[in-house]
Amino acid sequence: EPYQIEKQEIIEIGDNFKEIRKEADKIEKDFGIRLLIGDEVKSSESASQYIFTSTEKYNDEYYIQTEMENMRELRKILEMYPEDFFSHFKGTNGKCGLRISIVSELSSDSHEHFVASGLAYPNGGWYDIAICSSAIYETDSSLHHEIWHSVENLIEKRHGYIDATEWAKLNPENFEYSDDFDGFATGDSYDMANPTLDNTFYESEPRYDFPYFIYDYSMITPMEDRATLIERLLSMEFKDNNDYMQLIDINEIKKYHHLNAKIKYLEEWSKQEFGYVYWEKIHEKSRDVHYYN
């Protein structure tokens, strides 16, 4: 049976956010997604197990200007994706799809110390992402991270779950994910001996057989392991100490044997749904583009 969308209370935003709403409307039209801003985000909160703080809480001229800048940053990130990418999230009836809520804060009683900057969760016919406004303004990687989570939710729904046993073979022998978000937040899980890519930066010569993970956060759950890997593949870096940034070189990461094995595994997953490896398409599209701060 087709999924029946529950009727929801219509939430109106304040007058000061009307111009931001116009920019959000343009983004919705250009990319085929739904974008919630200000108090509107409350309509997607219930299935998340988090409490969303609206950006309208800070209803001052400076904050509204920042939110307008965030709309421009959001557009730049979404433009990197293949043209048909977001249409894959829609149902067969063309309804719902990817929905992004721009919030001020995300809070939950599930963790004592860990504070999320973004989260992704299936919600009926929607593939919901809630992301802090500051995470869009300050970095591109957080949204790439959450979009991968949504991709994984999409592919699992249509093609089945990633085989946990097969994925475990790509990790060190006898390794177990910590499932300890608070330990990461307090630094209790940090260990220079962890086989992470970040820990290789302190070595004079790279050990290509050493890292299995991007950084310590990757070692909490399998889903975070995969999201941090895709996030790193789509992150920006400074070039030649100038004011512009470019995508990092995927081939540099592929030199690390275990990370490359995970990338190849996820490449096949991407192909199942999209027919291509979407992060490679992003690199092809962005090869000659500079993204200014």
Side-chain angles (χ1 to χ4, degrees):
E1 294 293 328
Y3 176 76
Q4 300 298 316
I5 303 173
E6 294 183 5
K7 291 185 178 180
Q8 295 179 325
E9 177 186 358
I10 297 176
I11 299 175
E12 293 287 342
I13 57 173
D15 290 339
N16 288 341
F17 271 65
K18 296 297 185 182
E19 288 302 313
I20 304 172
R21 183 64 255 175
K22 289 180 181 179
E23 291 302 314
D25 291 343
K26 294 175 184 177
I27 290 174
E28 287 185 346
K29 180 179 179 181
D30 291 344
F31 298 100
I33 66 171
R34 180 78 173 105
L35 188 58
L36 303 179
I37 64 168
D39 291 348
E40 295 173 346
V41 301
K42 288 294 182 180
S43 64
S44 66
E45 177 187 73
S46 60
S48 71
Q49 299 181 335
Y50 274 73
I51 297 171
F52 297 175
T53 300
S54 165
T55 53
E56 288 195 67
K57 177 182 178 181
Y58 307 99
N59 195 4
D60 60 74
E61 185 177 347
Y62 172 78
Y63 205 84
I64 292 171
Q65 180 182 348
T66 299
E67 289 305 288
M68 287 295 288
E69 292 174 357
N70 284 345
M71 290 295 105
R72 291 190 283 271
E73 291 299 316
L74 176 61
R75 174 176 288 277
K76 287 198 295 186
I77 295 171
L78 298 178
E79 283 176 343
M80 297 170 67
Y81 283 77
E83 289 184 5
D84 69 333
F85 179 83
F86 298 107
S87 65
H88 283 259
F89 292 90
K90 292 187 177 297
T92 54
N93 59 359
K95 302 295 185 181
C96 298
L98 190 71
R99 181 167 63 177
I100 301 175
S101 298
I102 310 297
V103 305
S104 176
E105 297 173 3
L106 294 165
S107 55
S108 170
D109 294 332
S110 300
H111 307 293
E112 183 178 358
H113 301 289
F114 178 77
V115 179
S117 63
L119 58 122
Y121 52 101
N123 185 5
W126 294 104
Y127 292 89
D128 268 317
I129 290 174
I131 189 163
C132 291
S133 174
S134 59
I136 294 176
Y137 184 73
E138 295 171 1
T139 176
D140 61 303
S141 59
S142 293
L143 187 55
H144 291 311
H145 181 109
E146 300 307 332
I147 288 176
W148 165 260
H149 280 320
S150 292
V151 167
E152 187 160 339
N153 291 333
L154 171 69
I155 295 177
E156 284 180 349
K157 186 174 182 179
R158 294 182 180 172
H159 304 281
Y161 289 88
I162 287 180
D163 189 294
T165 302
E166 290 297 316
W167 184 258
K169 293 177 182 177
L170 303 175
N171 287 331
E173 188 175 357
N174 299 322
F175 170 81
E176 293 185 6
Y177 292 97
S178 70
D179 200 30
D180 185 6
F181 288 88
D182 281 327
F184 169 79
T186 59
D188 293 343
S189 63
Y190 182 76
D191 186 346
M192 281 289 296
N194 282 342
T196 65
L197 180 62
D198 281 1
N199 282 346
T200 65
F201 295 154
Y202 299 97
E203 300 178 352
S204 57
E205 293 292 334
R207 285 189 286 158
Y208 292 116
D209 61 345
F210 174 70
Y212 286 78
F213 309 96
I214 296 300
Y215 64 112
D216 283 20
Y217 189 71
S218 314
M219 303 170 71
I220 300 178
T221 69
M223 289 190 74
E224 298 305 340
D225 185 6
R226 296 187 279 268
T228 52
L229 179 56
I230 302 303
E231 164 194 332
R232 184 61 64 91
L233 293 177
L234 293 176
S235 294
M236 302 288 190
E237 68 176 357
F238 287 99
K239 294 286 188 180
D240 302 324
N241 296 317
N242 289 320
D243 292 332
Y244 63 84
M245 297 186 291
Q246 290 181 319
L247 288 172
I248 65 169
D249 188 349
I250 283 182
N251 293 321
E252 288 300 312
I253 296 181
K254 285 186 173 182
K255 290 180 180 178
Y256 295 93
H257 307 153
H258 305 298
L259 295 178
N260 188 41
K262 289 184 175 182
I263 292 170
K264 286 187 174 296
Y265 190 95
L266 297 182
E267 284 176 355
E268 296 307 312
W269 254 58
S270 177
K271 290 176 185 177
Q272 283 189 79
E273 173 61 28
F274 302 103
Y276 52 77
V277 179
Y278 79 82
W279 49 91
E280 289 187 349
K281 291 288 187 182
I282 289 173
H283 275 262
E284 291 173 7
K285 190 174 183 179
S286 306
R287 189 166 293 152
D288 299 321
V289 178
H290 296 162
Y291 292 88
Y292 289 83
N293 284 339

